[in-house]
Amino acid sequence: MSEDTLEEQPRNSAFLTGLEFLTGDDPNAGSFLLVVGLVTCVFIAGFQFTLPAPVSHLLTGLVLVVAIISFVIGAVLDILDYFETPSDVS
């Protein structure tokens, strides 16, 4: 092949490319935040209904901390325009 026929692929950072297994080929900020919220609700409900009071409160607090960190990661990805760039599907 000659260099004239090769097309330049847009390069994403390694960090953003590595997240593709989590968000899929065409990421959407709304779906990311919805999944984080639903997983948070399921874990909190599971802990509150199945464990005794002191343990369930501790684990619920930990789940909320992880949810906040996930929302911050989602905000950072949104700032980096990860959710707005269309993927190149050949």
Side-chain angles (χ1 to χ4, degrees):
M1 284 200 236
S2 69
E3 289 184 33
D4 296 335
T5 60
L6 294 176
E7 294 181 16
E8 286 290 321
Q9 297 275 340
R11 291 189 168 241
N12 290 336
S13 69
F15 174 73
L16 295 179
T17 305
L19 287 174
E20 202 168 284
F21 74 96
L22 290 174
T23 59
D25 292 335
D26 191 20
N28 185 349
S31 63
F32 178 81
L33 296 176
L34 184 64
V35 167
V36 170
L38 288 174
V39 169
T40 301
C41 290
V42 168
F43 271 94
I44 288 174
F47 291 151
Q48 291 296 317
F49 289 129
T50 60
L51 298 173
V55 176
S56 68
H57 296 312
L58 176 67
L59 291 176
T60 298
L62 290 175
V63 167
L64 290 175
V65 168
V66 170
I68 291 170
I69 292 170
S70 298
F71 286 128
V72 168
I73 289 173
V76 168
L77 289 174
D78 193 33
I79 290 171
L80 294 174
D81 289 332
Y82 179 71
F83 295 118
E84 298 300 323
T85 56
S87 64
D88 257 355
V89 178
S90 299

